[in-house]
Amino acid sequence: MAMAMSDSGASRLRRQLESGGFEARLYVKQLSQQSDGDRDLQEHRQRIQALAEETAQNLKRNVYQNYRQFIETAREISYLESEMYQLSHLLTEQKSSLESIPLTLLPAAAAAGAAATSGGEEGGGGAGGRDHLRGQTGFFPSPGGVSRDGSGPGEEGKQRTLTTLLEKVEGCRHLLETPGQYLVYNGDLVEYEADHMAQLQRVHGFLMNDCLLVATWLPQRRGMYRYNALYALDGLAVVNVKDNPPMKDMFKLLMFPESRIFQAENAKIKREWLEVLEETKRALSEKRRREQEEAAAPRGPPQVTPKASNPFEDEDDDAPTVPEIEEEKVDLSMEWIQELPEDLDVCIAQRDFEGAVDLLDKLNHYLEDKPSPPPVKELRARVDERVRQLTEVLVFELSPDRSLRGGPKATRRAVSQLIRLGQCTKACELFLRNRAAAVHTAIRQLRIEGATLLYIHKLCHVFFTSLLETAREFETDFAGTDSGCYSAFVVWARSAMGMFVDAFSKQVFDSKESLSTAAECVKVAKEHCQQLGDIGLDLTFIIHALLVKDIQGALHSYKEIIIEATKHRNSEEMWRRMNLMTPEALGKLKEEMKSCGVSNFEQYTGDDCWVNLSYTVVAFTKQTMGFLEEALKLYFPELHMVLLESLVEIILVAVQHVDYSLRCEQDPEKKAFIRQNASFLYETVLPVVEKRFEEGVGKPAKQLQDLRNASRLIRVNPESTTSVV
């Protein structure tokens, strides 16, 4: 009931806001007068905000639908433009044919009349008229140095014309040895640069019945050309370029993945180039279609030729003849198969990768259980060329040179189509290479802030978020594929982790940060790394292996600092009690010692602000416990012995100094005070260190136990100034 009331209220509010006479000021004034308080206004504000969000969603949905309709309309317009161009071409051709009829009928009629008068060879005169008519419609004039050679005097004449013209082109004779090839059209053109429309060079085009040859001028040799390029008409698309003065009389040739723009001498020659190219392509397609139909058509029963009788051959020696097995035919005459190569070209040009792969799947499904006669092999060869082109486009889509924005999902389209094409390994390699470039770019674009910890937080967030998104997208794209791809991903993740550790170490360890800062940074990196466990990816051991050398160096460096500081304080030791002067300072020291784990520090405090310990021993205790706490943040099993040996070295410096002072001191009072400090070290500090180490590591340390058990000083030669613990 409440839901129905809220819906009716929202509808009433929408109608009120959409009314033509709506005034916002008056509406707010009435609403303020009618509301009971702030709560009513807040609820009404929420309803208006929800209505605004709903309206925004509807607008987005409508814009998307209109955009899709716009794309479909543009595609239909493109198809319609192509059909209108073909219709215009057909009308022009019919017009030229009709104009040539009166000129051709007069000679034919005269020849027929002469034959009738002489009373002989009626059929020969008719044939001659038909040949003359066919010769007139097959030739085009040669305006402005452009010639069009159609059905000339015969195949030998066509071949002779082609040979004569191509003798002027250097470096192309070995490319034009196809039987039945002849010249259809040729002429001078000017090539322009596709992006900036700058003039490049003068060229000469030779259009054969199955290909187009482009040759460049040789300025120093008049009338001679040098071979530039040869394009098969199957993979060639012709596009009319609209005139945009001063750029006019141009047309574009599309040969995936490149395109070239040429300018004709005038509009008439441009029109002839467009018409002849379309005619020749259509004739070539029709010729190949007929060849495929003839090859696919069932043959009649084989003609049995009577065997010639041989009087010298014994009848008993006649061997049984093995009947010839007729090869099964494949029907390739269907319209979608005939248009498949051209449809693939269109899909690739329009970046409709899914449509192209769908067409390939349809063809493979159709030819799955069928034999492979020559027509099928020829079709597959033409399709394989398109597959190669499609693969090159998809590879370029995944190349790091492309924009890396959009995250891993931006690569899903190209990756999925490569997998459908059977290129799973290549898709995996390109996807991981693309993501490696994206991660590297993201790390490089991070600004190095003044505070190291702040930069490490940003670095970990960027890297591990990218790694997590890549892992999820990889699992989505390559689910159900070869398990080898997952091994490749683990190798890639290790490489990416190396990239991260390089940036991490450069900022944390190379800059000689304090051990506490380094410990906090490593702790942040470990926490982010453990989040990858949500998707079943554990890289903790990798980050440990990559950081162990830097952490060892940091522990060693900080250990040396503590040892040097301790030795410096030992050299100035006077063995006097500490006087902290104020109760506040004493209270602060008690808190510090309590945080270090020394809970019985009260028994070492005296009257007023005195402490019955040496300043050297107290400073050593605080510094050692601080080192232990920070080192435990950096701890992992590979660092166990390094940390333990560092602790033993630090403790030995203090213990040996106390032992040495005790043996050298002659004053009974100072000697008693030194014994009190030694007791504090052995009975309080060492057990606390041992206990904290065991808590942080999870197992006791025998070396620390042995050091604590040696609580009594070993007697040595009294005259010696050295001591052994």
Side-chain angles (χ1 to χ4, degrees):
M1 185 69 179
M3 182 67 69
M5 292 179 63
S6 62
D7 292 342
S8 62
S11 301
R12 186 167 60 254
L13 177 61
R14 184 184 294 106
R15 288 195 300 271
Q16 186 176 2
L17 295 176
E18 291 176 351
S19 62
F22 176 77
E23 293 185 5
R25 186 184 300 275
L26 181 61
Y27 174 75
V28 173
K29 182 178 180 181
Q30 293 177 354
L31 184 64
S32 302
Q33 293 175 353
Q34 295 173 2
S35 62
D36 294 336
D38 181 65
R39 184 174 181 180
D40 289 345
L41 291 175
Q42 291 289 342
E43 292 178 354
H44 202 82
R45 180 176 177 273
Q46 292 176 359
R47 287 198 296 271
I48 294 178
Q49 188 172 0
L51 186 60
E53 293 176 355
E54 181 182 356
T55 305
Q57 291 295 329
N58 291 334
L59 285 174
K60 290 181 180 179
R61 194 178 300 111
N62 291 335
V63 168
Y64 178 70
Q65 291 177 354
N66 292 337
Y67 180 66
R68 292 185 59 185
Q69 292 176 1
F70 172 77
I71 293 176
E72 293 174 358
T73 304
R75 189 175 300 168
E76 292 297 331
I77 291 174
S78 176
Y79 293 155
L80 182 60
E81 183 180 4
S82 176
E83 292 176 357
M84 292 297 294
Y85 176 76
Q86 294 178 3
L87 181 59
S88 173
H89 169 66
L90 291 175
L91 291 175
T92 304
E93 191 176 42
Q94 292 294 332
K95 179 181 177 182
S96 61
S97 299
L98 291 175
E99 290 175 350
S100 63
I101 286 176
L103 299 176
T104 57
L105 286 179
L106 291 176
T117 304
S118 61
E121 301 181 11
E122 179 180 352
R130 285 193 299 273
D131 289 344
H132 182 73
L133 175 62
R134 186 166 59 250
Q136 288 293 328
T137 58
F139 281 91
F140 276 68
S142 304
V146 181
S147 63
R148 175 174 176 177
D149 306 310
S151 56
E155 294 298 332
E156 294 183 1
K158 297 174 183 177
Q159 187 66 32
R160 193 179 306 113
T161 304
L162 176 64
T163 304
T164 302
L165 284 175
L166 294 182
E167 285 178 352
K168 300 181 179 181
V169 183
E170 295 181 352
C172 73
R173 181 167 296 276
H174 65 286
L175 302 173
L176 300 168
E177 297 178 352
T178 306
Q181 193 175 58
Y182 59 88
L183 186 67
V184 177
Y185 195 79
N186 73 94
D188 294 336
L189 297 168
V190 179
E191 183 177 6
Y192 280 78
E193 201 267 331
D195 294 331
H196 306 290
M197 299 305 291
Q199 182 174 333
L200 294 179
Q201 58 187 344
R202 293 179 60 191
V203 299
H204 195 90
F206 296 91
L207 176 63
M208 270 69 76
N209 58 325
D210 59 349
C211 61
L212 173 66
L213 185 143
V214 179
T216 57
W217 282 78
L218 292 175
Q220 65 274 20
R221 300 176 62 186
R222 185 175 182 82
M224 296 297 292
Y225 310 96
R226 178 181 289 115
Y227 167 78
N228 179 262
L230 183 69
Y231 304 107
L233 291 184
D234 291 340
L236 192 67
V238 187
V239 179
N240 181 24
V241 179
K242 294 182 179 180
D243 291 347
N244 185 17
M247 302 302 174
K248 60 180 182 177
D249 304 329
M250 292 184 174
F251 60 92
K252 180 185 291 187
L253 298 181
L254 302 177
M255 305 76 60
F256 182 83
E258 59 177 319
S259 63
R260 301 178 72 172
I261 294 181
F262 299 100
Q263 183 183 45
E265 185 176 350
N266 52 49
K268 182 179 179 181
I269 298 177
K270 169 190 172 181
R271 185 171 61 253
E272 287 189 359
W273 269 108
L274 294 176
E275 293 174 356
V276 176
L277 282 167
E278 289 296 335
E279 285 180 8
T280 310
K281 286 186 62 179
R282 187 163 51 250
L284 179 62
S285 177
E286 183 66 22
K287 176 184 175 184
R288 290 183 173 169
R289 186 182 66 82
R290 286 198 304 267
E291 290 175 353
Q292 292 177 357
E293 289 179 355
E294 291 173 1
R299 298 177 181 176
Q303 299 292 331
V304 180
T305 58
K307 183 178 181 181
S309 60
N310 188 352
F312 302 101
E313 186 175 351
D314 190 359
E315 293 182 0
D316 296 336
D317 295 337
D318 293 342
T321 59
V322 180
E324 183 180 355
I325 301 176
E326 185 177 355
E327 189 177 20
E328 185 180 352
K329 304 303 177 184
V330 181
D331 183 14
L332 300 179
S333 60
M334 288 176 285
E335 183 179 358
W336 70 271
I337 293 182
Q338 295 295 324
E339 297 179 354
L340 183 65
E342 288 74 17
D343 290 342
L344 288 174
D345 289 337
V346 172
C347 289
I348 294 173
Q350 294 180 348
R351 299 172 58 80
D352 184 11
F353 307 136
E354 295 82 359
V357 179
D358 290 341
L359 288 174
L360 292 172
D361 288 344
K362 184 178 179 181
L363 177 65
N364 292 332
H365 180 71
Y366 177 74
L367 299 176
E368 184 176 3
D369 300 326
K370 293 180 173 56
S372 298
V376 174
K377 292 181 179 178
E378 182 182 355
L379 175 63
R380 283 195 179 276
R382 297 171 62 192
V383 171
D384 288 344
E385 178 64 22
R386 272 69 177 184
V387 172
R388 183 187 63 79
Q389 296 174 2
L390 177 60
T391 303
E392 289 179 355
V393 175
L394 294 174
V395 168
F396 178 70
E397 288 292 314
L398 292 173
S399 64
D401 297 334
R402 297 279 289 171
S403 176
L404 298 174
R405 297 180 180 178
K409 292 183 180 179
T411 63
R412 182 180 299 177
R413 186 183 179 206
V415 168
S416 61
Q417 302 314 312
L418 276 176
I419 293 175
R420 290 180 63 189
L421 288 174
Q423 303 281 346
C424 182
T425 303
K426 180 176 289 187
C428 176
E429 177 186 355
L430 293 171
F431 172 78
L432 295 178
R433 190 184 301 170
N434 178 281
R435 296 312 306 154
V439 172
H440 178 71
T441 302
I443 292 177
R444 190 176 57 187
Q445 290 178 348
L446 270 179
R447 297 180 60 184
I448 299 179
E449 304 288 347
T452 301
L453 188 59
L454 177 60
Y455 172 79
I456 294 301
H457 272 287
K458 291 183 178 180
L459 176 65
C460 292
H461 175 74
V462 168
F463 174 76
F464 287 102
T465 301
S466 300
L467 194 62
L468 189 62
E469 291 176 352
T470 302
R472 288 172 175 166
E473 184 63 26
F474 186 89
E475 189 174 8
T476 301
D477 292 346
F478 295 92
T481 59
D482 184 10
S483 58
C485 293
Y486 290 91
S487 301
F489 176 78
V490 173
V491 173
W492 174 86
R494 180 181 178 87
S495 174
M497 187 65 75
M499 188 191 313
F500 164 77
V501 170
D502 287 343
F504 182 92
S505 299
K506 188 179 297 184
Q507 189 67 19
V508 175
F509 296 108
D510 293 354
S511 59
K512 303 299 181 182
E513 291 289 341
S514 65
L515 191 64
S516 60
T517 302
E520 286 297 326
C521 293
V522 173
K523 180 182 177 182
V524 170
K526 286 182 179 180
E527 290 174 353
H528 278 83
C529 191
Q530 290 171 357
Q531 294 177 1
L532 298 176
D534 297 341
I535 60 171
L537 185 63
D538 186 6
L539 299 178
T540 308
F541 68 99
I542 293 179
I543 196 171
H544 285 174
L546 294 174
L547 285 175
V548 63
K549 187 175 180 180
D550 290 325
I551 295 178
Q552 284 179 353
L555 291 176
H556 179 76
S557 175
Y558 203 68
K559 176 200 72 175
E560 294 296 329
I561 292 175
I562 294 177
I563 290 176
E564 289 298 323
T566 304
K567 288 182 177 180
H568 179 71
R569 288 193 297 267
N570 291 344
S571 65
E572 299 177 353
E573 178 63 74
M574 302 297 293
W575 295 112
R576 295 176 181 175
R577 292 191 306 163
M578 292 179 61
N579 185 4
L580 298 178
M581 308 300 291
T582 62
E584 290 79 8
L586 180 61
K588 182 179 179 181
L589 178 61
K590 290 180 180 179
E591 290 296 328
E592 290 176 351
M593 299 303 290
K594 186 177 181 180
S595 65
C596 290
V598 181
S599 57
N600 60 344
F601 189 71
E602 290 285 346
Q603 68 183 30
Y604 294 99
T605 58
D607 298 334
D608 297 331
C609 299
W610 291 90
V611 177
N612 298 324
L613 291 173
S614 168
Y615 167 77
T616 301
V617 173
V618 173
F620 168 79
T621 302
K622 293 193 295 183
Q623 202 167 19
T624 302
M625 294 306 299
F627 171 77
L628 178 60
E629 289 296 331
E630 301 302 336
L632 288 176
K633 295 179 183 178
L634 297 169
Y635 177 83
F636 45 86
E638 291 82 356
L639 296 171
H640 183 82
M641 291 306 301
V642 176
L643 175 58
L644 192 56
E645 291 172 358
S646 298
L647 278 174
V648 171
E649 287 185 36
I650 292 172
I651 294 173
L652 279 176
V653 172
V655 170
Q656 289 176 353
H657 171 66
V658 171
D659 180 40
Y660 176 79
S661 300
L662 186 61
R663 297 200 178 270
C664 296
E665 185 60 53
Q666 302 297 325
D667 187 357
E669 292 185 2
K670 284 191 176 182
K671 201 166 189 177
F673 182 68
I674 295 173
R675 288 185 179 277
Q676 187 176 5
N677 282 272
S679 174
F680 175 75
L681 282 176
Y682 282 110
E683 298 176 3
T684 302
V685 177
L686 290 185
V688 170
V689 170
E690 182 182 346
K691 179 182 178 182
R692 184 68 189 95
F693 184 88
E694 184 175 351
E695 290 176 353
V697 174
K699 58 181 179 180
K702 186 175 183 304
Q703 290 87 338
L704 293 178
Q705 291 177 354
D706 295 342
L707 192 61
R708 181 170 60 86
N709 292 333
S711 56
R712 62 182 184 86
L713 302 179
I714 300 178
R715 297 179 179 271
V716 294
N717 186 357
E719 287 145 10
S720 173
T721 57
T722 61
S723 63
V724 180
V725 178

